[in-house]
Amino acid sequence: MFIPAILPGRRPLPEALLHLLQATRPGFAPHGTLRFGDPRVAACLPEGGLTRGGLHAIGAPATDAGSGTAAAGFAACLLAGFSSPQPVFWITPWPDLHAAGLPGWGFDPGRLLFVHTDDDTATLAAMEIVLRGGAAAAALGEVGALPELPARRLQLACRRHGVTGFVLQRPSRWHVPPRQEAAAVATRWEVAPAPSAAEHREPGPARWRVRLQLARGGHEGAWIMEAAAQDAAFPLRVVAELADPAAAPERRRLAG
Amino acid sequence: MWLPSWPIQRLRRSGAVSPASPAATVATAGGARRLQALCPQAAAAGLWPGQTLAEARALCPALAICPADPEADGAALGRLAHWCERFTPLAAADPPEGLWLDITGCAELFGGEAGLAGTLAALLSRDGLSCQVAVAGTAGAAWALARAGKTAGTNLPSGQEAEALAALPVALLRLDARSVSGLRALGVRRIGELARLERAALTARFGAGPRLRLDQALGNAAEAIAWPHPPAPWAERLAFAEPIGTEADLSRVLALLAKRLGERLAAARLGGVAFTATFFRVDDARPTLGIGAALPLAEPERIAALLRLRLEGLDPGFGVEAVLLEATATAPLAQPQLGLPGIVPSDPALPERALAAVVDELANRLGTARLWRPAPRASHVPERAVRHLPPLAPSPPWSGAAGERPLRLLARPEPIEATAPLPDQPPLQFRWRGGLHRVRAASGPERIAAEWWQPSAAAAGRPEADLLRDYYRVEDSEGNRFWVFRAGLDPATARWFLHGLFP
C-alpha cells in the first residue's frame, strides 16, 4: 500500500484517513516526532524520532542504586526538546524533584507545573486529566508500576489530543516488577547510569546506558548516551552503540 | 434578644456550676478578686458586680465561684448565634450577653413575629437557657426593650419607638458608664428626658455618643451590624417536596442550580472563583461542598462538573430537603475574543483558559496546595532555593547560575559512613542505605554557609543544618552520581551526609 509521506505544516488529513493510517501503520505520527539527531537511534524509531502525541515509558533496572535518577535525567533531556510556551506537567507522589537541578539538562523549570499526588492511581488519573485537557506541551508521571489498562487509556488520550505523555517507572527495593510490562506504549526505555569519561578524577558529563526495549513500528536498540553541551542542537549525544546480547537474536522483530 | 448573666448560664449548662446554688464569675481587677457576672439568686442575696470576693463570701457563704472566661463566653454565644440561623440567615452574637436576629421577611414562616419570638424562647428554655426577646423596628429599640421587658416577647410596631422608650432609663441606650453618670448628675434619667435636650448642647457636653444612640434607637440614624454570614447575592436554592438522597438525583440538582447561577453570573459579566453547595439534610445536619476556580468561572457545565467530583464524599443521611448553591467570591469575567479564520487571530488567552480548566480539575481533586510552579529564591542553601508559586502565575525566570544542582534532593540529608583520607578531601568510599559505593571521581568542594538570619533548624533535630557545609559531587564505580557534604570544619566532629542524586 502506498502511504503518502506526512510532513509537518501540511493540511490536516481527513479523519477517516487518519484512522486508516493508525490502524495499518503502528508507528504513525500525525503530530510529528522528537529527533535525537543520530542516525543510529533514528533507524530504530518509527518516522526517525520519538512520536509526539504518544505515551513513552521510561524505566530503570531494579538494581539501580540511585532509584531511577538516571531515568529522570533522561526524561528531562527529552522534555527539553518540547519548545512550546505551554507548561509541562510533572506529576509525582515523591516530592524530591529539585527544580534548581533542571536547567543543567536544558530544561527551563519556569515551564514546569508540579502536581503532588498520593499514589500511583492518583498519578495516572491526574495524567489522564492533563492529557485530555490538551493545554500542556507534555505530561510526565512518576509511578511504581504501569498496569496495562491505564497505559492503554493514556495512550489513547495522548493520540487523540496530540499531547506527549511520559511515564517514569521508579524502581523500588520492595516492588517486584510484573512479568509482563504494559505493551500499549509507543516506546519503552530502560536507563541505567554508566561511568562517565572522568579525567583527572573529575566526573565528566553524565552518561547513561539506554536500552530501547520496545518501539511500535521500530525495533530494539541499546546505546551509551551522554548529556550534550548546553548549546547543542540535540540534548543527547550517542557515545557508542551497544551490541546488546539480549536483544541480538530478535533484532529485526517488529514490536507492533 | 437578651440572655441575662450569660456566663453563668453557660457554666450551668456545661455542668461546671450546680443549678441550685447561687453562682458568680470572678476576675482579678485592680489587685483584688471581684465579682463579674451574677446569677439572679446571687443578686437576690445582695451581691453586686464589682464587689470584692471576700465581701461577697461573707454575705453569701454558699456562693459558687468560677473564673471569668470572656473568650469561652463569646465563642459559646457565637455558636448560639449559628444555631439561631434556623430562624433567619442574619443572626449575630452581641457580646457579652445578647444576640441580634434580623427577622425581616422571615417571621411569616413561624407564625408571625410573636410566634417566632415565642418559638425561640420556648426552644431555649427547653434547653435550660432563660432569655428575653423583643421585636422592634430598630436594633437599638429592640436592645432596650429586651433588657427592660419583664415578660418574654415584647413586640413593638415600627414608628412607636419614641413613646415606648420614653420611660426607660438612659443606660438602656447602650451608653458608656461615664455618660450615664454624667447624665444622672444633670438629672436626666429617662430616655424621654434625654430626647428633649437640645442636640448641640448634648453633643458639646457628652460627645456624639448619646445623641447617635438615641437616633439609632428611634430609627433616625442607620446602624450596621456585623453579620457572621452576610447573604451572598449570588445564590440559587432548590427545595424538594420529598427528601432526595441518590447521587444521580443530587448531581441533577447541582446541574440545574449551576445552570441558573451560571446564567445569572454570565449576564452580570461576573465569574465565580469560589462556590459552596450546602445540602440541608432532614436531620438538621448541613454538609457543604466547596470548590475553587483558578480563573473566574460562569460556565454551568464546568461548575457542575467540578461539584460532581466532590459529590462522592457527601453523606446524604436520610435525605436532603434543599440544596443551596452560592458563589461566595466573584470576579469580573474576561470575555475571550474569538478569532476570524484567516483575518483575526484567536485571543491568546484561549489556551490559558484550557489550562485553567485542567488546573481547576486537578486542584479540586487533590487540593490547591498540591499544584505549584517552582520559582527560584535568592538563597544558597539548597533546601531553601525553590519556592512555590500558584499554578497560573506567569513563568518565573530561572537564570541557572547557581552552580550544578542535583535533580533529586532528599527531604532531609541522610547520614552516611564515609572514609575520607584528609579533612579537606572528598570521601574514598561511603555506605548509604546499605550499599557500599567506591568513589571513582569527585569534584568540589562547594562551601555553603548556613543563613544565620533565618530561624534555626537545629531545634528541629537537624544539627547539621546550622553548620558550614562542604559539598562534593562524587561518582561511584557504577556511574551513580551523588551530592554529599561534610558538616562542620573540625575533623574530629565533622560528619558526612548525602543530600541529593544526580542523573
Side-chain angles (χ1 to χ4, degrees), chain B residues 231-249:
Chain B
W234 303 107
E236 286 292 336
R237 186 186 159 107
L238 199 63
F240 321 113
E242 292 276 324
I244 61 168
T246 66
E247 201 175 317
D249 286 344

Side-chain angles (χ1 to χ4, degrees), chain B residues 327-351:
Chain B
T328 44
T330 55
L333 194 64
Q335 294 291 335
Q337 192 162 2
L338 295 174
L340 291 171
I343 306 169
V344 183
S346 260
D347 194 342
L350 274 179

Side-chain angles (χ1 to χ4, degrees), chain B residues 91-383:
Chain B
D94 175 28
E97 305 194 324
L99 287 179
W100 297 117
L101 268 72
D102 187 342
I103 57 166
T104 314
C106 304
E108 308 313 317
L109 301 172
F110 301 93
E113 291 176 347
L116 191 149
T119 314
L120 177 57
L123 282 175
L124 286 179
S125 69
R126 198 184 65 189
D127 268 3
L129 296 172
S130 67
C131 68
Q132 293 190 177
V133 186
V135 182
T138 65
W143 200 91
L145 289 171
R147 280 151 181 83
K150 296 285 171 275
T151 55
T154 313
N155 194 348
L156 184 71
S158 294
Q160 299 176 14
E161 285 89 4
E163 299 89 70
L165 295 180
L168 299 181
V170 286
L172 290 180
L173 278 180
R174 293 178 282 164
L175 302 182
D176 53 29
R178 229 185 96 249
S179 303
V180 172
S181 61
L183 286 167
R184 187 179 298 142
L186 292 180
V188 178
R189 287 162 190 279
R190 309 264 162 214
I191 294 177
E193 295 162 13
L194 179 68
R196 279 196 294 278
L197 289 184
E198 200 185 328
R199 178 180 289 261
L202 185 64
T203 309
R205 174 71 177 79
F206 296 102
R211 190 65 219 183
L212 177 69
R213 287 299 191 201
L214 184 62
D215 283 343
Q216 283 176 343
L218 299 183
N220 299 330
E223 179 169 6
I225 296 172
W227 304 111
H229 301 291
W234 303 107
E236 286 292 336
R237 186 186 159 107
L238 199 63
F240 321 113
E242 292 276 324
I244 61 168
T246 66
E247 201 175 317
D249 286 344
L250 290 173
S251 155
R252 247 197 320 269
V253 168
L254 285 179
L256 185 67
L257 289 173
K259 184 163 179 293
R260 288 191 196 163
L261 187 62
E263 280 168 2
R264 273 181 57 205
L265 283 168
R269 307 218 166 203
L270 284 175
V273 254
F275 293 91
T276 311
T278 311
F279 297 85
F280 294 84
R281 273 168 35 175
V282 286
D283 55 352
D284 271 358
R286 259 191 247 170
T288 59
L289 301 180
I291 57 162
L295 286 182
L297 186 64
E299 292 145 59
E301 296 81 24
R302 281 191 48 210
I303 301 173
L306 289 176
L307 283 168
R308 221 172 284 134
L309 281 180
R310 288 294 180 83
L311 203 55
E312 284 171 23
L314 185 88
D315 176 20
F318 294 109
V320 172
E321 286 177 315
V323 180
L324 174 76
L325 178 64
E326 286 174 289
T328 44
T330 55
L333 194 64
Q335 294 291 335
Q337 192 162 2
L338 295 174
L340 291 171
I343 306 169
V344 183
S346 260
D347 194 342
L350 274 179
E352 197 171 306
R353 295 180 71 78
L355 179 63
V358 171
V359 165
D360 281 350
E361 193 169 347
L362 289 175
N364 285 301
R365 233 175 232 267
L366 302 165
T368 326
R370 300 292 197 87
L371 270 81
W372 43 273
R373 265 177 198 271
R377 180 187 275 148
S379 170
H380 290 292
V381 178
E383 52 263 44

